[in-house]
Amino acid sequence: MKKIAFFCWVLLIALTAQAQSAKKLFKEAEGYFEEKMYSQALELYLAGLKLDPENPKANFNTGLCYLETAYKEKSLPYLKKTQQVKPDIHKQLLVFLGEAYQYNHQFSEALKQYQAFLNTMDKDDPVASYINRKMFECNNGIRYMKDPAKATITNIGSVINSKYADFAPVISSDETVLVFTSRREGSTGEELSPEDNQFYEDMYISYKANGKWSTPRNLKEINTDQHDACVALSSDGKQLFIYKDKQGGDLYYSDFDAINNIWSKPQSLGDNINTKYYETSISMTSDGQTIYFSSNRPGGSGGLDIYMSRKTPEGKWGEAVNLGPSINTPYDEDAPFIHADGTTLYFSSRGLAGMGGYDIYRSEHNEDGTWTAPENLGYPINTANEDIYFVLSADNKHGYYASAKEGGVGEKDIYIISMPPRKTVEVASQIKTIQVKTAAPTVKTVEMKMQEPIEINSNATIVKGKVIDAETKEPLVADVVLVDNLTATQLEEHKTDTEGAFSTFMPSGKNYNFSVQKEGYLFHSENFDIPEAKGFQQFDLVVELKKINVGSKIVLRNIFFDFDKATLRKESTAELENLLEIMQEMPKLKIEISGHTDNKGSADYNKTLSGKRAKAVVDYLISKGIPAERMRSAGYGKERPIAANDTDEGRQLNRRTEFEIIGK
């Protein structure tokens, strides 16, 4: 009997000590909780609940802490425990429970909690509109999960992801460059933010070769000891857009210096883009002429809106134009991403027909300047949590975004989405309605827009490759220039990297002069005539530049003539100007311009026509002040083929104009 009494006494002491320890932990946790330092509070609450698992307030606050973190779905067991132990602990417990069920995709159960809460409210209570919105999201979730998108979501792996938060991935169109933001150890300032006790944000870059990502490099040349976050990358991976906590939140850009392999000092995008309000995200079209960005400046639909700005002839960004009610709602729209095709806009919204938080949507730009009604990308791409900062490869195959998922490497990880190959999920077109019951007999009607699935087309062309010396085969740092042949307007110019590598994006619907230029070498040109409706395609080139020596020759692939005539078409202007520049820079250079044909037609006719065409090029240069004695023209007809004439491709190669150095 004494032994039993002694045992009970020891147990009582242990339980008392345990209760005191839990009480101490809960008290310390409440201090952090009141200061809204939820991560610190959560750690202490969880430790205390191991000692006192039935404590209703600790369970309740633990649930609320989880609702404030990336792991919102983990709030559910603690809020359920609270409801079991003390259902009257807070008048909005049912709301928090509804949110917890919603984050766990238990939408039917969430609807029950929301409805139960509505039944306790006055129908005019302003909170009712919030609950109706949540119920609207749950009904969307039920519908999307019944017909999920055929998408596979895969963690990008531990080479990129760390045990810390990794997020906001941005990619080049060809998926060879990845820049992302991380709060990992080893940050530039190596300090913790007092707001959440995590390392300050830094930007990292990784390159893909042979299907594998390189170890990320900290962009120390542009990171600071404060927060630095990437928000967009140009199609060619040469211009990076950055968000900085300045003037309420501003957008900056940095250019890649291929020679020194560093990024330039970030520069503001200017007063038309940055204001004293909040500018958060941006995306630029592949031609570099238009940007889409988010801002909460006055005059919008409400919250964050998406705006557009075009580059002026002076190279500045023009007046910001709101995309209007087709895209923007009274809620937040953020993280715009304009696809490489130049017409498809992806963005995140809290106000459209989503499943909760931000959902990702797609809209197409019409020829009349309007936008199609946004389509939700569906489950599992979208979830009941925050789905934002989505980017997509030029071929429409792979999407990238960050998420806090079970089984991840760290707090937030970067994921790759294998996108549905051809069809969309839900698109706006035809109006339907759903009804959400409130307390009493009142019915709130909410419009939802849906449309039949449509095919996805990616009207985009990527040209990538390497520039080398034609004799030594060593890589060259050279200028890559892209020109619209129809208008003779230069669209893009950038240098290759130290390995001679380049990547150039071309939206469909133009005739392009693609040229590679380097001092001391003849330029190399290619012609890309891309129809408007052409789907995604990629060209891989090895460009061999020839030094300016006697005997060196190049094909002028952007010299065009009217059919069966020797009249130069205006699309030839850019190529002719490249020739003129060489002749002006090297006043002793002597050249031959020669014309060539395929084997169709008589030999005499072909020789005469090719001679006239070569002379037309020489005459153009003479008209620009180049002395006639420095040039000669020749027509060789079909005498000098460079390919077999038994295919259309071969005959096309044989129909050409050449430039050869005959003296210097």
Side-chain angles (χ1 to χ4, degrees), residues 464-475:
K464 58 185 298 188
K466 189 173 184 178
V467 180
I468 62 175
D469 184 292
E471 294 181 6
T472 67
K473 309 304 180 186
E474 291 297 316

Side-chain angles (χ1 to χ4, degrees), residues 22 24 97 123 137 148 155 198 229 280 318 374 385 414 434 511 531 611 619 652:
K24 184 178 178 181
L97 261 171
K123 64 181 180 181
E137 292 169 352
N155 192 299
Q198 296 185 53
T280 59
N385 213 324
I414 295 169
I434 63 168
N511 184 312
D619 289 344
Q652 183 176 355

Side-chain angles (χ1 to χ4, degrees), residues 452-465:
E452 293 303 314
I454 60 173
E455 288 190 354
I456 301 170
N457 291 312
S458 179
N459 298 326
T461 295
I462 291 177
V463 179
K464 58 185 298 188

Side-chain angles (χ1 to χ4, degrees), residues 12-13 38 100 147 223 251-252 275 277 299 430 433 540 651:
L12 179 63
I13 291 175
Y38 298 111
D147 185 22
N223 284 322
L251 297 168
Y252 287 70
T275 67
Y277 299 96
Q430 167 180 38
T433 63
D540 295 300
R651 287 189 290 272

